[in-house]
Protein backbone atom coordinates (compact mmCIF):
# COMPACT_ATOMS: atom_id res chain seq x y z
CA UNK A 1 0.00 0.00 0.00
CA UNK A 2 1.10 3.58 -0.68
CA UNK A 3 1.56 6.02 2.22
CA UNK A 4 -1.62 7.04 3.97
CA UNK A 5 -3.62 9.49 1.93
CA UNK A 6 -5.48 12.55 3.17
CA UNK A 7 -8.00 14.05 0.78
CA UNK A 8 -9.11 16.76 3.21
CA UNK A 9 -12.37 17.08 5.13
CA UNK A 10 -14.93 14.44 4.20
CA UNK A 11 -18.00 15.98 2.54
CA UNK A 12 -21.45 15.25 3.91
CA UNK A 13 -23.30 12.29 2.43
CA UNK A 14 -26.43 13.76 0.86
CA UNK A 15 -29.91 13.14 2.33
CA UNK A 16 -28.46 11.61 5.54
CA UNK A 17 -28.34 12.78 9.18
CA UNK A 18 -31.93 14.03 9.24
CA UNK A 19 -32.83 16.46 12.01
CA UNK A 20 -36.47 15.39 11.72
CA UNK A 21 -38.01 13.73 14.75
CA UNK A 22 -40.60 11.61 12.97
CA UNK A 23 -42.90 11.55 16.01
CA UNK A 24 -44.68 8.47 14.68
CA UNK A 25 -46.97 8.39 17.71
CA UNK A 26 -48.71 11.53 16.39
CA UNK A 27 -49.65 9.86 13.11
CA UNK A 28 -52.41 7.77 14.64
CA UNK A 29 -54.37 10.72 16.06
CA UNK A 30 -56.25 12.73 13.37
CA UNK A 31 -57.11 15.53 15.82
CA UNK A 32 -53.46 15.88 16.85
CA UNK A 33 -52.40 15.97 13.20
CA UNK A 34 -54.97 18.66 12.41
CA UNK A 35 -53.69 20.67 15.37
CA UNK A 36 -50.11 20.32 14.08
CA UNK A 37 -51.23 21.66 10.69
CA UNK A 38 -52.74 24.70 12.41
CA UNK A 39 -49.61 25.56 14.39
CA UNK A 40 -48.24 28.97 13.33
CA UNK A 41 -44.77 27.51 12.80
CA UNK A 42 -45.99 24.56 10.71
CA UNK A 43 -44.35 24.47 7.27
CA UNK A 44 -44.55 22.26 4.20
CA UNK A 45 -42.29 21.17 1.39
CA UNK A 46 -44.10 21.37 -1.94
CA UNK A 47 -43.36 18.51 -4.32
CA UNK A 48 -44.92 17.78 -7.71
CA UNK A 49 -43.69 14.42 -9.04
CA UNK A 50 -39.98 14.88 -9.71
CA UNK A 51 -40.14 18.63 -9.15
CA UNK A 52 -39.65 20.59 -5.95
CA UNK A 53 -40.92 24.15 -5.62
CA UNK A 54 -38.61 26.63 -3.83
CA UNK A 55 -39.01 30.26 -2.84
CA UNK A 56 -36.25 32.21 -4.54
CA UNK A 57 -33.57 33.57 -2.22
CA UNK A 58 -30.32 35.48 -2.61
CA UNK A 59 -27.81 32.76 -1.67
CA UNK A 60 -29.86 29.61 -1.21
CA UNK A 61 -33.57 29.14 -1.84
CA UNK A 62 -36.23 28.47 0.79
CA UNK A 63 -38.13 25.18 0.34
CA UNK A 64 -40.64 25.87 3.13
CA UNK A 65 -44.18 27.21 2.65
CA UNK A 66 -47.02 27.67 5.08
CA UNK A 67 -49.65 25.03 4.40
CA UNK A 68 -52.07 27.59 2.99
CA UNK A 69 -49.37 29.00 0.69
CA UNK A 70 -48.52 25.49 -0.49
CA UNK A 71 -52.16 24.70 -1.26
CA UNK A 72 -52.70 28.01 -3.04
CA UNK A 73 -50.10 27.31 -5.73
CA UNK A 74 -52.11 24.72 -7.62
CA UNK A 75 -54.20 21.56 -7.25
CA UNK A 76 -52.79 19.48 -4.41
CA UNK A 77 -53.35 15.89 -3.29
CA UNK A 78 -51.89 14.26 -0.15
CA UNK A 79 -50.50 16.17 2.81
CA UNK A 80 -48.05 13.96 4.69
CA UNK A 81 -46.65 14.56 8.16
CA UNK A 82 -42.85 14.27 8.03
CA UNK A 83 -42.24 15.00 11.71
CA UNK A 84 -40.91 17.78 13.93
CA UNK A 85 -37.80 19.93 13.76
CA UNK A 86 -37.21 21.62 17.11
CA UNK A 87 -40.92 20.98 17.80
CA UNK A 88 -41.98 22.76 14.59
CA UNK A 89 -44.21 20.56 12.40
CA UNK A 90 -42.98 19.71 8.92
CA UNK A 91 -45.23 18.38 6.16
CA UNK A 92 -44.86 17.49 2.50
CA UNK A 93 -47.68 18.48 0.19
CA UNK A 94 -48.22 16.76 -3.16
CA UNK A 95 -48.70 19.31 -5.90
CA UNK A 96 -50.10 18.21 -9.24
CA UNK A 97 -46.94 17.60 -11.38
CA UNK A 98 -48.29 19.64 -14.31
CA UNK A 99 -49.08 22.51 -11.95
CA UNK A 100 -45.54 22.32 -10.55
CA UNK A 101 -44.14 22.59 -14.06
CA UNK A 102 -46.34 25.57 -14.80
CA UNK A 103 -44.84 27.45 -11.84
CA UNK A 104 -41.43 27.35 -13.51
CA UNK A 105 -40.62 30.81 -14.77
CA UNK A 106 -42.27 32.72 -11.95
CA UNK A 107 -39.97 35.43 -10.62
CA UNK A 108 -40.42 34.49 -6.98
CA UNK A 109 -40.05 30.70 -7.35
CA UNK A 110 -37.51 28.14 -8.47
CA UNK A 111 -38.85 24.79 -9.74
CA UNK A 112 -36.33 22.02 -10.23
CA UNK A 113 -35.61 18.37 -9.40
CA UNK A 114 -34.14 17.14 -6.13
CA UNK A 115 -30.91 15.83 -7.70
CA UNK A 116 -30.11 19.31 -9.01
CA UNK A 117 -31.02 20.85 -5.66
CA UNK A 118 -28.61 18.49 -3.85
CA UNK A 119 -25.71 18.61 -6.30
CA UNK A 120 -25.82 22.40 -6.66
CA UNK A 121 -26.55 23.12 -3.00
CA UNK A 122 -29.65 25.18 -3.86
CA UNK A 123 -31.08 24.86 -0.32
CA UNK A 124 -29.49 24.67 3.13
CA UNK A 125 -28.17 21.14 3.70
CA UNK A 126 -30.56 20.46 6.59
CA UNK A 127 -33.48 20.47 4.14
CA UNK A 128 -32.17 17.57 2.03
CA UNK A 129 -33.19 14.70 4.37
CA UNK A 130 -36.80 15.90 4.84
CA UNK A 131 -37.03 16.61 1.10
CA UNK A 132 -35.89 13.04 0.45
CA UNK A 133 -38.43 11.76 2.99
CA UNK A 134 -41.22 13.82 1.45
CA UNK A 135 -40.37 13.01 -2.14
CA UNK A 136 -40.11 9.25 -1.56
CA UNK A 137 -43.36 9.23 0.43
CA UNK A 138 -45.31 11.33 -2.06
CA UNK A 139 -44.00 9.31 -5.01
CA UNK A 140 -45.31 6.20 -3.30
CA UNK A 141 -48.75 7.87 -2.91
CA UNK A 142 -48.72 8.95 -6.55
CA UNK A 143 -48.32 5.31 -7.61
CA UNK A 144 -50.45 3.57 -4.99
CA UNK A 145 -53.82 5.27 -5.03
CA UNK A 146 -55.55 1.96 -5.76
CA UNK A 147 -55.50 -1.23 -3.72
CA UNK A 148 -52.98 -3.74 -5.09
CA UNK A 149 -55.19 -6.51 -3.72
CA UNK A 150 -58.65 -5.64 -5.11
CA UNK A 151 -58.24 -2.49 -7.22
CA UNK A 152 -60.46 -0.16 -5.15
CA UNK A 153 -59.45 3.43 -4.49
CA UNK A 154 -57.68 3.64 -1.11
CA UNK A 155 -57.80 6.26 1.65
CA UNK A 156 -54.84 8.06 3.19
CA UNK A 157 -54.52 7.52 6.94
CA UNK A 158 -51.90 8.06 9.64
CA UNK A 159 -50.61 11.35 8.29
CA UNK A 160 -49.72 9.73 4.98
CA UNK A 161 -47.92 6.69 6.37
CA UNK A 162 -50.58 4.18 5.36
CA UNK A 163 -53.35 3.74 2.79
CA UNK A 164 -56.39 1.66 3.71
CA UNK A 165 -58.67 -0.14 1.33
CA UNK A 166 -62.38 0.38 2.21
CA UNK A 167 -63.35 -2.66 0.17
CA UNK A 168 -61.05 -5.56 1.17
CA UNK A 169 -59.71 -3.82 4.32
CA UNK A 170 -56.16 -4.21 3.11
CA UNK A 171 -53.56 -1.89 4.66
CA UNK A 172 -50.77 -0.60 2.44
CA UNK A 173 -47.52 0.87 3.74
CA UNK A 174 -44.98 3.10 1.95
CA UNK A 175 -42.19 1.00 0.57
CA UNK A 176 -38.47 1.45 0.28
CA UNK A 177 -36.54 -0.48 -2.36
CA UNK A 178 -33.11 -1.73 -1.25
CA UNK A 179 -30.32 -1.30 -3.80
CA UNK A 180 -26.80 -2.62 -3.34
CA UNK A 181 -24.04 -0.34 -4.58
CA UNK A 182 -20.56 -1.77 -4.42
CA UNK A 183 -16.92 -1.44 -5.25
CA UNK A 184 -15.18 -4.72 -6.09
CA UNK A 185 -11.51 -4.40 -5.05
CA UNK A 186 -8.36 -6.51 -5.35
CA UNK A 187 -5.16 -5.15 -3.83
CA UNK A 188 -4.39 -1.79 -5.42
CA UNK A 189 -7.12 -2.02 -8.03
CA UNK A 190 -10.90 -1.66 -8.14
CA UNK A 191 -13.64 -2.02 -10.74
CA UNK A 192 -15.81 0.91 -11.85
CA UNK A 193 -18.47 0.99 -14.52
CA UNK A 194 -20.27 3.49 -16.70
CA UNK A 195 -24.00 3.44 -17.23
CA UNK A 196 -25.35 4.48 -20.65
CA UNK A 197 -26.93 7.55 -19.06
CA UNK A 198 -23.78 8.90 -17.34
CA UNK A 199 -22.21 12.20 -18.30
CA UNK A 200 -19.02 11.86 -20.37
CA UNK A 201 -16.02 10.90 -18.24
CA UNK A 202 -17.97 9.82 -15.16
CA UNK A 203 -17.30 6.38 -13.68
CA UNK A 204 -19.04 4.93 -10.66
CA UNK A 205 -19.73 1.91 -8.48
CA UNK A 206 -21.82 -0.98 -9.75
CA UNK A 207 -25.36 -1.15 -8.41
CA UNK A 208 -28.55 -3.16 -8.58
CA UNK A 209 -31.78 -3.95 -6.76
CA UNK A 210 -31.83 -6.55 -4.03
CA UNK A 211 -34.24 -9.26 -5.14
CA UNK A 212 -36.90 -10.97 -2.99
CA UNK A 213 -35.40 -13.64 -0.78
CA UNK A 214 -31.88 -12.34 -1.20
CA UNK A 215 -29.31 -11.27 1.41
CA UNK A 216 -27.40 -8.04 0.82
CA UNK A 217 -24.12 -9.93 0.48
CA UNK A 218 -25.60 -12.31 -2.08
CA UNK A 219 -27.07 -9.41 -4.06
CA UNK A 220 -23.63 -7.76 -4.18
CA UNK A 221 -22.07 -10.98 -5.48
CA UNK A 222 -24.85 -11.63 -8.00
CA UNK A 223 -24.99 -8.10 -9.41
CA UNK A 224 -21.18 -7.93 -9.74
CA UNK A 225 -21.13 -11.29 -11.53
CA UNK A 226 -24.02 -10.29 -13.83
CA UNK A 227 -22.76 -6.83 -14.73
CA UNK A 228 -19.01 -7.38 -15.08
CA UNK A 229 -18.43 -11.13 -14.73
CA UNK A 230 -16.28 -10.76 -11.60
CA UNK A 231 -16.65 -13.33 -8.80
CA UNK A 232 -16.66 -11.78 -5.32
CA UNK A 233 -15.88 -13.32 -1.95
CA UNK A 234 -16.18 -11.33 1.25
CA UNK A 235 -18.59 -8.39 1.25
CA UNK A 236 -18.22 -5.60 3.79
CA UNK A 237 -21.01 -3.12 4.56
CA UNK A 238 -19.92 0.52 4.47
CA UNK A 239 -22.78 3.06 4.76
CA UNK A 240 -26.28 3.60 3.42
CA UNK A 241 -28.11 6.49 1.80
CA UNK A 242 -31.77 7.25 1.12
CA UNK A 243 -32.07 7.77 -2.63
CA UNK A 244 -35.56 9.07 -3.43
CA UNK A 245 -35.39 8.40 -7.19
CA UNK A 246 -37.98 7.15 -6.74
CA UNK A 247 -37.90 5.23 -3.45
CA UNK A 248 -34.54 3.52 -3.01
CA UNK A 249 -32.22 2.89 -0.12
CA UNK A 250 -28.64 2.59 -1.34
CA UNK A 251 -26.64 0.03 0.64
CA UNK A 252 -22.96 0.76 0.10
CA UNK A 253 -20.45 -2.11 0.25
CA UNK A 254 -16.89 -3.04 -0.60
CA UNK A 255 -16.43 -6.49 -2.10
CA UNK A 256 -13.42 -8.74 -2.41
CA UNK A 257 -12.90 -9.51 -6.10
CA UNK A 258 -11.74 -13.09 -6.57
CA UNK A 259 -11.47 -13.12 -10.34
CA UNK A 260 -9.94 -10.58 -12.71
CA UNK A 261 -11.44 -10.93 -16.17
CA UNK A 262 -14.21 -8.44 -16.94
CA UNK A 263 -17.15 -9.50 -19.09
CA UNK A 264 -19.49 -6.53 -19.52
CA UNK A 265 -23.27 -6.86 -19.69
CA UNK A 266 -23.83 -4.27 -22.42
CA UNK A 267 -27.53 -3.97 -21.68
CA UNK A 268 -26.67 -2.70 -18.19
CA UNK A 269 -23.37 -0.94 -18.74
CA UNK A 270 -21.70 1.18 -21.38
CA UNK A 271 -18.26 0.19 -20.07
CA UNK A 272 -16.38 -1.21 -17.07
CA UNK A 273 -12.71 -1.67 -16.26
CA UNK A 274 -10.10 -1.93 -13.54
CA UNK A 275 -8.69 1.29 -12.11
CA UNK A 276 -5.45 1.66 -10.14
CA UNK A 277 -5.34 3.44 -6.81
CA UNK A 278 -3.40 6.45 -8.16
CA UNK A 279 -5.87 6.90 -11.01
CA UNK A 280 -8.76 6.81 -8.54
CA UNK A 281 -7.10 9.48 -6.37
CA UNK A 282 -6.70 11.71 -9.45
CA UNK A 283 -10.38 11.19 -10.29
CA UNK A 284 -11.49 12.06 -6.75
CA UNK A 285 -9.34 15.20 -6.86
CA UNK A 286 -10.66 16.15 -10.32
CA UNK A 287 -7.17 16.18 -11.84
CA UNK A 288 -7.32 13.08 -14.06
CA UNK A 289 -5.38 13.77 -17.31
CA UNK A 290 -8.25 12.45 -19.45
CA UNK A 291 -10.92 14.27 -17.45
CA UNK A 292 -12.32 11.12 -15.86
CA UNK A 293 -14.14 11.60 -12.56
CA UNK A 294 -16.26 10.02 -9.86
CA UNK A 295 -19.87 10.93 -9.01
CA UNK A 296 -20.42 14.13 -6.98
CA UNK A 297 -19.86 14.18 -3.22
CA UNK A 298 -23.61 14.11 -2.55
CA UNK A 299 -23.73 10.50 -3.79
CA UNK A 300 -22.69 7.46 -1.78
CA UNK A 301 -20.58 6.15 -4.69
CA UNK A 302 -18.10 8.98 -4.10
CA UNK A 303 -17.81 7.98 -0.44
CA UNK A 304 -17.45 4.26 -1.17
CA UNK A 305 -14.67 4.93 -3.67
CA UNK A 306 -12.95 7.48 -1.44
CA UNK A 307 -13.07 5.20 1.61
CA UNK A 308 -11.28 2.48 -0.35
CA UNK A 309 -8.25 4.70 -1.07
CA UNK A 310 -8.36 6.90 2.02
CA UNK A 311 -9.33 4.46 4.73
CA UNK A 312 -7.42 1.63 3.07
CA UNK A 313 -10.28 -0.84 2.84
CA UNK A 314 -8.53 -4.11 2.10
CA UNK A 315 -9.34 -7.82 2.05
CA UNK A 316 -5.69 -8.90 1.84
ZN1 LIG B 1 -58.60 -3.74 -1.51
Amino acid sequence: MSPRLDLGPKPHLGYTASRIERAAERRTDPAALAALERQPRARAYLIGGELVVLRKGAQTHDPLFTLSQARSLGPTAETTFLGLIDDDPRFAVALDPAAAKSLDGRDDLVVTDLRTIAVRGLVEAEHLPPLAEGKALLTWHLRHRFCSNCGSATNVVEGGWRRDCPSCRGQHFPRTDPVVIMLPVAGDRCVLGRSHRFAAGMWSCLAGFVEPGEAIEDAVRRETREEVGIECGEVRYFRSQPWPFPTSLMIGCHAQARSREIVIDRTELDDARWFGRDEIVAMLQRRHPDGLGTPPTVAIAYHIIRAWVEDEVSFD
Side-chain angles (χ1 to χ4, degrees), residues 1-6 187-188 276-279 281 308-312:
M1 271 288 178
S2 318
R4 183 163 175 83
L5 178 76
D6 183 0
D188 262 8
R277 189 174 186 274
D278 293 344
E279 190 172 16
V281 172
W308 172 61
V309 291
E310 195 174 34
D311 302 337
E312 302 180 2

Side-chain angles (χ1 to χ4, degrees), residues 249-287:
L249 173 69
M250 309 302 283
I251 303 165
C253 296
H254 296 96
Q256 174 191 34
R258 281 194 167 149
S259 65
R260 300 293 181 268
E261 190 195 351
I262 291 181
V263 181
I264 299 167
D265 176 357
R266 297 284 175 187
T267 59
E268 292 281 333
L269 293 177
D270 178 50
D271 204 359
R273 70 168 172 90
W274 288 95
F275 287 78
R277 189 174 186 274
D278 293 344
E279 190 172 16
I280 291 290
V281 172
M283 289 162 75
L284 288 166
Q285 293 182 324
R286 303 283 183 255
R287 54 172 182 78

Side-chain angles (χ1 to χ4, degrees), residues 71-145:
R71 288 165 181 157
S72 71
L73 287 168
T76 56
E78 295 85 2
T79 293
T80 59
F81 174 57
L82 302 181
L84 306 167
I85 284 192
D86 303 331
D87 289 332
D88 295 341
R90 292 287 180 267
F91 296 87
V93 171
L95 178 65
D96 174 70
K101 204 169 181 185
S102 74
L103 294 172
D104 194 12
R106 258 181 62 160
D107 289 344
D108 56 336
L109 301 174
V110 171
V111 182
T112 188
D113 65 281
L114 186 51
R115 274 194 188 86
T116 302
I117 289 170
V119 170
R120 297 193 187 160
L122 298 185
V123 299
E124 295 294 333
E126 71 166 57
H127 291 300
L128 289 182
L131 277 170
E133 179 185 351
K135 180 177 180 297
L137 190 53
L138 292 178
T139 301
W140 176 78
H141 282 289
L142 201 57
R143 297 174 178 189
H144 294 82
R145 291 189 171 138

